Amino acid sequence: MLNTPQARRLPLPLFLIALLLIALNLRVGIVVIGPLANGMGEDLALSGGALGLLTTLPLLCFGVLSIFSPRFAERWGLETVLLTALWLLFLGLVLRLFGSYFWLLAGTVLLGAAIAVMNVLIPSLVRGRFPHKVAALTALYSVTMTLGAASAAGMAVPVRDAFGGDWRYPLAGCALVALAGGIGWCFMLPYRTPAASGKAPSLGLWRNPRAWVFSVFFGLQSLLYYSLTAWLATVFVDAGMSEARAGELLTLFNLSGMPANFCAPLFFARMPNRRLAMMLLHVPLLISVPALMIAPTSQSVLWVVLLGLGQGSMISTGLTLIALRGADARAAAGLSGLCQSVGYLLAALGPVTLGLLHDAAGNWRIPLALLSALLLVQFIAGVLSADGDPIG
């Protein structure tokens, strides 16, 4: 695929540093909002729906741009587009430091656009640069992304409190991470490589009911993750916990997903009955989401660990399914584009809808009841998608 001398001379250590710098930036700017939501809402007089929009907007960007991102790389080159995305991310994070809701929204749109491009293009870069190390590099990339999210969740409240309660300082910390990424990726430009052309999902895929069922599964598991990212800390705070403790639990949620990221795809692929495997992988979520609704503080650590294990299983299994269910490489690419586009647009409804329901009900039971109901739909869609004839 890559036959130029420049492509072959790229040192693996340099590539690893560049890859990890991007991985660190994929979730921190989104996850950091959750632990700070109460303070931001009070300072800016924001409703739950307005706060939920700060998590929903990036997902809308993911849904809209996921199909077009490969075209950008085809035209301007992977390295150039990824470097531009990192500087766009930095700009978006800086805009949020102005402190008004308008600038929070504007910065979040830029942030979401940048992350959408990176989400789609990084797997292509890994496969093209080091095709024989895809599994190891993807695992390292996933763990670094999760560690970044966990660090953002855990450090948000302590950093804010260390600077007199000003929630802009944790946001500034996220901007510094993006700045490091932008500077680091400047060293990748001498190793520009041609990108593989991206194909939009074919019309046949859009008309395929099984592809839509899979897209529903992919979208609902994303909706659950980003809804929990946006509101899990607030659920615990409203139940009587301190913001610092709630931030620690959000960190634990992200860290608990790491072992599942590694183990779930292997478990799923090796099980003779994949539908049974999908059922078993859902068990932690089927326990923890209703428990969070009924008694959030009774066994909060257990609920959070189960949430993390279940959610970590879902995203990695979903990505594995894309490769397994596509009839060939082109079909898999089309299925990926369809799932990410439809799935993230569906996921975008989660954070803002839960925030609006909380405002209307005055508690978290109704929003979490809705999340439990959607989890049952996800379970059914996941089981139906787990096996069958190839799609495409």
Side-chain angles (χ1 to χ4, degrees), residues 20-380:
L20 298 185
L21 283 172
I22 279 194
L24 282 173
N25 278 287
L26 287 181
R27 286 184 178 174
V28 292
I30 301 173
V31 171
V32 73
I33 297 296
L36 304 173
N38 276 352
M40 294 172 67
E42 292 174 2
D43 287 351
L44 301 176
L46 301 178
S47 66
L51 285 169
L53 193 58
L54 295 176
T55 302
T56 291
L57 279 174
L59 302 182
L60 291 173
C61 293
F62 296 172
V64 171
L65 292 177
S66 61
I67 292 178
F68 303 105
S69 296
R71 307 288 176 85
F72 301 152
E74 184 181 2
R75 181 168 182 178
W76 292 293
L78 280 168
E79 287 76 17
T80 300
V81 172
L82 288 169
L83 176 62
T84 303
L86 280 165
W87 285 110
L88 186 65
L89 174 65
F90 173 68
L91 176 60
L93 290 166
V94 168
L95 289 180
R96 300 205 300 187
L97 302 181
F98 286 92
S100 72
Y101 188 60
F102 171 80
W103 289 114
L104 281 171
L105 290 178
T108 299
V109 169
L110 291 180
L111 173 153
I115 295 176
V117 171
M118 292 188 285
N119 271 339
V120 174
L121 297 185
I122 280 296
S124 175
L125 185 71
V126 171
R127 287 196 301 269
R129 285 295 188 176
F130 295 98
H132 303 299
K133 300 180 183 293
V134 169
L137 290 174
T138 302
L140 184 60
Y141 164 77
S142 300
V143 169
T144 305
M145 181 174 63
T146 303
L147 282 173
S151 299
M155 296 300 295
V157 172
V159 170
R160 182 201 63 186
D161 292 346
F163 288 93
D166 191 335
W167 46 263
R168 290 176 298 176
Y169 280 91
L171 303 187
C174 296
L176 291 177
V177 178
L179 177 62
I183 294 173
W185 262 79
C186 289
F187 294 96
M188 288 289 288
L189 290 184
Y191 302 95
R192 291 191 184 108
T193 60
S197 61
K199 299 294 183 183
S202 67
L203 189 59
L205 270 179
W206 287 93
R207 291 174 174 173
N208 190 317
R210 292 180 298 134
W212 279 94
V213 171
F214 184 46
S215 296
V216 168
F217 164 71
F218 193 89
L220 288 178
Q221 66 84 22
S222 296
L223 183 151
L224 179 61
Y225 172 77
Y226 285 104
S227 296
L228 291 172
T229 295
W231 295 117
L232 184 60
T234 305
V235 169
F236 287 127
V237 169
D238 288 353
M241 285 188 185
S242 68
E243 288 184 327
R245 178 57 176 163
E248 291 172 358
L249 289 172
L250 185 60
T251 302
L252 181 61
F253 165 65
N254 282 284
L255 290 176
S256 298
M258 291 172 59
N261 283 334
F262 278 105
C263 299
L266 297 175
F267 171 75
F268 180 80
R270 292 178 181 178
M271 276 282 287
N273 189 333
R274 287 179 176 167
R275 291 189 172 177
L276 175 60
M278 181 65 78
M279 293 179 188
L280 294 175
L281 290 172
H282 271 85
V283 168
L285 291 174
L286 293 171
I287 295 172
S288 56
V289 175
L292 191 66
M293 173 185 66
I294 298 168
T297 59
S298 64
Q299 298 290 336
S300 56
V301 172
L302 176 60
W303 306 151
V304 166
V305 169
L306 289 175
L307 285 171
L309 289 173
Q311 197 55 46
S313 297
M314 291 302 103
I315 181 59
S316 56
T317 302
L319 294 173
T320 302
L321 267 174
I322 290 175
L324 292 175
R325 297 306 311 278
D328 52 32
R330 183 173 181 177
L335 184 61
S336 177
L338 173 63
C339 289
Q340 290 198 50
S341 179
V342 175
Y344 280 125
L345 289 174
L346 177 61
L349 298 173
V352 68
T353 300
L354 263 64
L356 291 171
L357 282 176
H358 174 263
D359 289 346
N363 60 66
W364 284 106
R365 290 210 168 189
I366 292 178
L368 290 172
L370 174 62
L371 213 58
S372 299
L374 292 176
L375 176 60
L376 292 177
V377 178
Q378 173 190 312
F379 174 80
I380 295 170

